[in-house]
Each structure stands twice: as C-alpha cells, then as structure tokens.
Amino acid sequence: MNEVTDQNNVQGLVRQALKVEHRPGDHSTRIPGLTLHLRNNPTDPLHCIYTLSLAVVLQGEKQISYGNQTFSCTEGQLTLTTFDLPVVSHVTHATRHKPFIGLVLKLDYNLILQVCSELKLNKPAGDIAYKSISVENLDDGLTDALKRLLNLQHETRFVDSLLPLLEKEIIIRLMESPHGPQLRYLASDGSPGSQILKVVAWLKQNFTQSIAMDDLAGRANMSGSAFRQHFKSLTGTSPLQYLKTLRLQEARDQMLMNRLDASQASSLVGYESASQFSREYSRLFGLPPSKDVQQLRRLL
C-alpha cells in the first residue's frame, strides 16, 4: 500500500491550483475532464449527480450524502465515485483567507477495463464491501501524477500526447491504492456492478422515455426483485427514484443554462403533468422550480 502523501506535497498542489484560478466558483480547465472548484464560504447543501470520477480536497472540507450514508472529505483526501449517483453535497469549511479548493477529474470506464486487463487483475474477493463512493487519504504517487496533470494547463502543446499517458497512470495508481478493489469490482465482467452500470448508462441516454422497471431488470439480466436490490445497494436509491432524479436534474440544468421556463423544461424531460413536475421538483430540491433556479443563479 502506498504511503499517505506528505502535507508539503498537498500544499504544492494548492499553489498550482491557485495559479490556474483564484476566484470562487466552478472552473473548467484547458485539460479535458478536469475542473477546479473554489469557495470562500461554507455552502448550503446542493442536490447534484456525481459521475465516475475522482475528487481531491486540497484545502477545506466538504460533506457528501447519498442514500442513508454521509461522508466528510477533508484536505489531503481523495473521493472516488464509481457510479453516477444522486447526492447532496456542500462545503463545510472555507474562508476568504483559506478557501475550499477541490479538483475533480472524470474517469473513463473503458480505460479502467483496459488497465484491469493489462494488469491481469482478478475480481476482488466476494466478501468485499463494495462502495459506490469511497474516501481515502491521497498518497504521494497520485499527488505527483496530479501535479503533472495540472502542469499541462501551462503546456497545452503536450496535452494531446501526454494526457492519455497521465490518465492511464492515474488509473493504475488508483488500482494500487485502497480504492483499487472498488474499481476492480466495477470492471468485473458479469458482476452486479457492471450489469447495473450498463443500465445506468442506458438510462442516461433514454430517461425522457416511458420506461418499465421490468424492462430495466431485463437489461441487467436479473429478476425484478434482484435488480431492485442490487440497484439500491449500489446507487442508494430505487430505480424509479433514480429515473426521477435524472429527469429533474436535467430540467434544472436546462432552466439554469438555457433559461427555459418550468413548463418547457418539464415537457423536455418527459413529464406530462406540470403540477406533478413542480411537486417532485420541490420535494427533491427543496424549492419550487423558479425560486430554486433564481437562488442558483445568485450562487454562480
């Protein structure tokens, strides 16, 4: 097992991140799939969907909840998300003089499969406690790889040639870290995790359709009861609620980014009843659509 990273190594990443951007907000970088997140104050809990990714807290602290589980992630820790999950996330420690700083890197499922094959990694033991979200201390190897990844921000001529190598190195180092069993479980052919992941990928492309739960179970080659059980254990929610969350999150994004009104957004994501959309939206996000979007715009 790799050693936990030295605090000076993390501070080196902090300095690099602040050279990229120092203003509060969510920032894209010149590196595809890498985003930088800064906050000067604690934030209110926000419903969102975490994708297959790693997230590193360089400074401050945040809290993540899904299902009946809650995680605290503090500086020098790496969070691995192996499923697209509806979560509630918020920054719990941040000040103007010591802002929250986080890095998020999206991961490629096919690259994970490739690395598992090349390293000839077996499926983890059957008694592994699989976690859709795992939090572990960052180690020196991953810290150094992330430093080199951030350096590409200032050497964009090397992005096309070096980024694939760095992404592969990061996956390999994750495999050798305490996160490794979670990735190996995800990549195991025929495991419940891989079957549910295929269904989730299909749902993300087809969530506006009318979908029968038995059809989803069939896509996973499971009985209805087994499908619901595995789905909830992996995502923290039922298939029906997951589908609703996908629709409502997409509607929220459309209202926020494309300035659609609630009626337009609800129809776009497959709702036939505007009143039902408003009720379910308020239940999930805590406010009616128009008030929620107004609040989000003030935060951005």
Side-chain angles (χ1 to χ4, degrees):
M1 184 182 298
N2 295 337
E3 294 296 326
V4 174
T5 192
D6 183 88
Q7 190 61 28
N8 290 332
N9 234 348
V10 175
Q11 289 305 309
L13 266 176
V14 168
R15 290 190 291 271
Q16 280 184 276
L18 291 175
K19 287 180 182 178
V20 174
E21 185 58 72
H22 62 275
R23 297 169 300 169
D26 301 319
H27 306 283
S28 299
T29 70
R30 297 174 184 174
I31 304 163
L34 182 69
T35 53
L36 177 63
H37 306 268
L38 292 95
R39 298 289 186 272
N40 283 346
N41 301 287
T43 61
D44 293 330
L46 179 68
H47 290 262
C48 54
I49 293 180
Y50 276 16
T51 60
L52 176 60
S53 60
L54 67 82
V56 179
V57 175
L58 302 180
Q59 195 165 266
E61 187 173 337
K62 69 177 180 179
Q63 190 174 89
I64 306 166
S65 300
Y66 85 99
N68 59 359
Q69 301 183 66
T70 298
F71 304 86
S72 289
C73 313
T74 190
E75 52 194 58
Q77 289 190 314
L78 184 151
T79 301
L80 176 70
T81 305
T82 50
F83 265 87
D84 287 13
L85 295 174
V87 304
V88 179
S89 176
H90 66 118
V91 172
T92 53
H93 289 85
T95 67
R96 183 178 177 184
H97 297 293
K98 191 175 181 181
F100 171 87
I101 305 173
L103 288 174
V104 177
L105 177 65
K106 292 185 177 180
L107 302 178
D108 184 341
Y109 178 63
N110 289 323
L111 182 57
I112 294 170
L113 293 178
Q114 178 187 333
V115 168
C116 278
S117 176
E118 290 179 0
L119 297 181
K120 296 180 172 57
L121 297 175
N122 297 320
K123 180 179 177 180
D127 59 353
I128 177 180
Y130 174 74
K131 304 171 185 176
S132 298
I133 294 180
S134 55
V135 180
E136 301 286 352
N137 291 322
L138 191 61
D139 63 51
D140 279 329
L142 280 164
T143 303
D144 289 340
L146 289 171
K147 282 183 177 180
R148 283 179 272 121
L149 187 68
L150 269 179
N151 278 340
L152 289 183
Q153 174 79 13
H154 309 291
E155 299 179 309
T156 52
R157 67 188 184 279
F158 295 130
V159 168
D160 289 343
S161 56
L162 291 182
L163 180 58
L165 301 177
L166 279 170
E167 288 177 324
K168 188 172 183 179
E169 178 185 348
I170 287 168
I171 294 295
I172 291 171
R173 291 189 179 279
L174 282 172
M175 289 289 185
E176 295 298 323
S177 79
H179 292 288
Q182 315 303 331
L183 288 176
R184 285 160 53 202
Y185 179 88
L186 179 69
S188 299
D189 186 37
S191 70
S194 66
Q195 297 299 99
I196 299 298
L197 184 66
K198 291 174 184 176
V199 172
V200 167
W202 186 88
L203 272 177
K204 288 171 63 180
Q205 300 297 319
N206 299 277
F207 61 83
T208 60
Q209 300 180 20
S210 177
I211 299 171
M213 292 301 108
D214 286 344
D215 290 342
L216 292 180
R219 288 182 175 275
N221 296 316
M222 297 178 186
S223 67
S225 59
F227 173 70
R228 287 188 290 273
Q229 178 184 352
H230 285 299
F231 195 99
K232 188 166 187 178
S233 69
L234 294 170
T235 67
T237 189
S238 68
L240 180 59
Q241 185 57 47
Y242 190 92
L243 175 60
K244 286 181 181 179
T245 301
L246 285 178
R247 288 174 172 170
L248 293 169
Q249 186 69 54
E250 176 65 18
R252 191 190 211 190
D253 291 344
Q254 290 294 330
M255 288 186 289
L256 184 63
M257 307 306 296
N258 296 326
R259 296 190 175 273
L260 300 188
D261 61 32
S263 177
Q264 292 171 317
S266 65
S267 177
L268 182 69
V269 299
Y271 276 86
E272 296 180 359
S273 167
S275 59
Q276 181 186 1
F277 168 76
S278 184
R279 286 194 305 272
E280 293 184 352
Y281 189 104
S282 299
R283 191 177 302 125
L284 179 63
F285 296 123
L287 289 171
S290 60
K291 290 184 178 180
D292 176 60
V293 171
Q294 288 173 8
Q295 184 181 75
L296 284 173
R297 287 197 179 117
R298 287 196 295 269
L299 295 174
L300 294 178

